[in-house]
């Protein structure tokens, strides 16, 4: 049976919020000013978090996951839209490796969502940590949305995330 509320962290207000809600935080070697962080949630999984404005996020990913090295058919992706994170007030967003076609499919709608967002600083009641929505789970698990996939199955996506050790 799939987990109905998986609590996959995807955005954080601060380093303190990451430490309190996700795990031990350290700067990634070769980066400056806490632009890129390695977060260890206490198990075998390592997480890469970056400031939404940090341009070298692919390099930060590769510094941690050298064995993956950004394959040609994959994107290193801010799973929580980086433009929206800036509007909402999150200082860090989590990176995932996502299939390019799936990332592009989701990106079209994400750009529209940012355009209708409130002005910066207006969403002060958002939590310290944002968790993956159904939309994020579809993206992480390689599922297109909208007309390209009208039969998205969240339960199957969550089962896949468990089998691939994301949760």
């Amino acid at each position: 049976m799939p987990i109905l509320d998986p609590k996959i962290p995807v955005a954080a207000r601060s380093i303190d919020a990451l430490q309190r809600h996700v795990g031990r935080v350290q700067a990634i070697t070769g980066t400056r000013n806490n632009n890129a962080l390695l977060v260890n949630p206490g198990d075998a999984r390592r997480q890469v978090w970056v400031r939404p404005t940090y341009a070298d996020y692919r390099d930060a990913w590769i510094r941690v996951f050298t064995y993956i090295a950004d394959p040609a058919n994959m994107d290193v992706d801010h799973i929580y839209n980086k433009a929206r994170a800036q509007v909402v007030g999150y200082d860090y967003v989590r990176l995932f490796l996502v299939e390019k076609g799936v990332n592009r499919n989701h990106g079209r709608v994400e750009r529209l969502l940012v355009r209708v967002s409130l002005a910066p600083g207006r969403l002060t009641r958002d939590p310290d940590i944002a968790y993956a929505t159904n939309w994020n789970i579809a993206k992480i698990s390689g599922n297109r949305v909208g007309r390209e996939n009208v039969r998205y199955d969240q339960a199957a996506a969550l089962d896949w995330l468990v089998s691939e050790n994301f949760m």
Side-chain angles (χ1 to χ4, degrees), residues 21-153:
H21 299 286
V22 183
R24 194 180 77 232
V25 175
Q26 67 186 64
I28 293 175
T29 303
T31 64
R32 297 184 308 181
N33 303 323
N34 290 324
N35 281 320
L37 304 172
L38 174 62
V39 179
N40 180 345
D43 54 26
R45 298 170 291 173
R46 295 175 293 170
Q47 301 174 7
V48 177
W49 292 71
V50 296
R51 293 187 188 277
T53 56
Y54 185 55
D56 291 330
Y57 61 93
R58 286 180 187 88
D59 181 59
W61 176 271
I62 292 168
R63 286 176 181 274
V64 173
F65 298 107
T66 56
Y67 59 92
I68 295 175
D70 201 7
N73 65 333
M74 304 295 278
D75 280 339
V76 175
D77 180 58
H78 304 82
I79 204 65
Y80 188 100
N81 180 276
K82 63 184 181 176
R84 181 156 178 82
Q86 291 176 68
V87 170
V88 174
Y90 286 117
D91 287 346
Y92 290 94
V93 292
R94 188 171 172 188
L95 299 179
F96 278 90
L97 202 59
V98 176
E99 180 195 332
K100 279 187 189 225
V102 171
N103 191 32
R104 303 308 189 280
N105 166 256
H106 282 256
R108 287 190 295 272
V109 176
E110 288 173 352
R111 283 186 292 280
L112 294 172
L113 291 174
V114 171
R115 288 187 200 136
V116 299
S117 294
L118 298 172
R122 293 276 312 278
L123 298 177
T124 56
R125 287 186 285 162
D126 277 7
D128 284 349
I129 294 288
Y131 294 98
T133 63
N134 190 37
W135 177 275
N136 301 134
I137 292 166
K139 189 176 185 183
I140 295 166
S141 63
N143 285 280
R144 295 171 191 259
V145 292
R147 292 186 182 123
E148 293 186 43
N149 187 0
V150 295
R151 296 175 191 225
Y152 166 62
D153 180 355

Side-chain angles (χ1 to χ4, degrees), residues 3 6 8 45 96 132-134 136-143 152 154-167:
I3 300 166
I8 301 168
R45 298 170 291 173
F96 278 90
T133 63
N134 190 37
N136 301 134
I137 292 166
K139 189 176 185 183
I140 295 166
S141 63
N143 285 280
Y152 166 62
Q154 185 192 40
L158 289 169
D159 286 343
W160 180 85
L161 289 173
V162 168
S163 73
E164 294 298 314
N165 200 29
F166 283 104
M167 302 180 352

